[in-house]
mmCIF file of all heavy atoms in Angstrom:
data_model
loop_
_atom_site.group_PDB
_atom_site.id
_atom_site.type_symbol
_atom_site.label_atom_id
_atom_site.label_comp_id
_atom_site.label_asym_id
_atom_site.label_seq_id
_atom_site.Cartn_x
_atom_site.Cartn_y
_atom_site.Cartn_z
ATOM 1 N N LEU A 294 26.626 -18.864 -13.963
ATOM 2 C CA LEU A 294 28.076 -18.322 -13.961
ATOM 3 C C LEU A 294 29.024 -19.397 -13.701
ATOM 4 O O LEU A 294 30.115 -19.463 -14.443
ATOM 5 C CB LEU A 294 28.057 -17.210 -12.930
ATOM 6 C CG LEU A 294 27.292 -15.870 -13.277
ATOM 7 C CD1 LEU A 294 27.431 -14.889 -12.131
ATOM 8 C CD2 LEU A 294 27.801 -15.301 -14.589
ATOM 9 N N ALA A 295 28.730 -20.312 -12.785
ATOM 10 C CA ALA A 295 29.700 -21.418 -12.454
ATOM 11 C C ALA A 295 29.835 -22.333 -13.724
ATOM 12 O O ALA A 295 30.995 -22.764 -14.002
ATOM 13 C CB ALA A 295 29.145 -22.177 -11.278
ATOM 14 N N ALA A 296 28.745 -22.651 -14.340
ATOM 15 C CA ALA A 296 28.779 -23.445 -15.529
ATOM 16 C C ALA A 296 29.657 -22.828 -16.690
ATOM 17 O O ALA A 296 30.463 -23.417 -17.332
ATOM 18 C CB ALA A 296 27.430 -23.772 -16.092
ATOM 19 N N LEU A 297 29.464 -21.524 -16.837
ATOM 20 C CA LEU A 297 30.162 -20.728 -17.740
ATOM 21 C C LEU A 297 31.699 -20.710 -17.509
ATOM 22 O O LEU A 297 32.530 -20.936 -18.342
ATOM 23 C CB LEU A 297 29.696 -19.270 -17.960
ATOM 24 C CG LEU A 297 28.365 -19.112 -18.644
ATOM 25 C CD1 LEU A 297 27.969 -17.657 -18.520
ATOM 26 C CD2 LEU A 297 28.406 -19.563 -20.045
ATOM 27 N N GLY A 298 31.951 -20.571 -16.135
ATOM 28 C CA GLY A 298 33.390 -20.655 -15.829
ATOM 29 C C GLY A 298 34.054 -22.027 -16.084
ATOM 30 O O GLY A 298 35.137 -22.170 -16.445
ATOM 31 N N LEU A 299 33.295 -23.151 -15.753
ATOM 32 C CA LEU A 299 33.782 -24.511 -16.054
ATOM 33 C C LEU A 299 33.921 -24.712 -17.585
ATOM 34 O O LEU A 299 34.919 -25.254 -17.999
ATOM 35 C CB LEU A 299 32.736 -25.463 -15.490
ATOM 36 C CG LEU A 299 33.179 -26.995 -15.760
ATOM 37 C CD1 LEU A 299 34.450 -27.291 -15.064
ATOM 38 C CD2 LEU A 299 31.978 -27.864 -15.249
ATOM 39 N N VAL A 300 33.003 -24.242 -18.414
ATOM 40 C CA VAL A 300 33.129 -24.367 -19.822
ATOM 41 C C VAL A 300 34.367 -23.622 -20.343
ATOM 42 O O VAL A 300 35.189 -24.078 -21.144
ATOM 43 C CB VAL A 300 31.842 -23.883 -20.500
ATOM 44 C CG1 VAL A 300 32.179 -23.804 -22.022
ATOM 45 C CG2 VAL A 300 30.725 -24.861 -20.213
ATOM 46 N N THR A 301 34.564 -22.506 -19.775
ATOM 47 C CA THR A 301 35.726 -21.575 -20.249
ATOM 48 C C THR A 301 37.044 -22.281 -19.846
ATOM 49 O O THR A 301 37.994 -22.287 -20.587
ATOM 50 C CB THR A 301 35.690 -20.263 -19.527
ATOM 51 O OG1 THR A 301 34.421 -19.577 -19.865
ATOM 52 C CG2 THR A 301 36.815 -19.328 -19.910
ATOM 53 N N ALA A 302 37.032 -22.887 -18.622
ATOM 54 C CA ALA A 302 38.250 -23.639 -18.229
ATOM 55 C C ALA A 302 38.583 -24.806 -19.068
ATOM 56 O O ALA A 302 39.709 -25.013 -19.498
ATOM 57 C CB ALA A 302 38.057 -24.050 -16.802
ATOM 58 N N ILE A 303 37.520 -25.521 -19.523
ATOM 59 C CA ILE A 303 37.680 -26.651 -20.483
ATOM 60 C C ILE A 303 38.220 -26.181 -21.751
ATOM 61 O O ILE A 303 39.166 -26.773 -22.323
ATOM 62 C CB ILE A 303 36.399 -27.423 -20.545
ATOM 63 C CG1 ILE A 303 36.030 -28.144 -19.325
ATOM 64 C CG2 ILE A 303 36.499 -28.469 -21.673
ATOM 65 C CD1 ILE A 303 34.637 -28.698 -19.190
ATOM 66 N N VAL A 304 37.668 -25.093 -22.310
ATOM 67 C CA VAL A 304 38.120 -24.574 -23.592
ATOM 68 C C VAL A 304 39.523 -24.191 -23.525
ATOM 69 O O VAL A 304 40.283 -24.336 -24.468
ATOM 70 C CB VAL A 304 37.179 -23.383 -23.986
ATOM 71 C CG1 VAL A 304 37.781 -22.621 -25.169
ATOM 72 C CG2 VAL A 304 35.840 -23.804 -24.288
ATOM 73 N N LEU A 305 39.906 -23.510 -22.453
ATOM 74 C CA LEU A 305 41.373 -23.102 -22.300
ATOM 75 C C LEU A 305 42.296 -24.242 -22.189
ATOM 76 O O LEU A 305 43.406 -24.292 -22.770
ATOM 77 C CB LEU A 305 41.498 -22.234 -20.944
ATOM 78 C CG LEU A 305 40.939 -20.815 -20.992
ATOM 79 C CD1 LEU A 305 40.986 -20.183 -19.707
ATOM 80 C CD2 LEU A 305 41.683 -19.946 -22.103
ATOM 81 N N ALA A 306 41.886 -25.330 -21.503
ATOM 82 C CA ALA A 306 42.742 -26.515 -21.455
ATOM 83 C C ALA A 306 42.796 -27.136 -22.693
ATOM 84 O O ALA A 306 43.964 -27.648 -23.102
ATOM 85 C CB ALA A 306 42.071 -27.538 -20.308
#
Side-chain angles (χ1 to χ4, degrees):
L294 290 175
L297 287 175
L299 179 60
V300 170
T301 302
I303 293 173
V304 170
L305 287 173

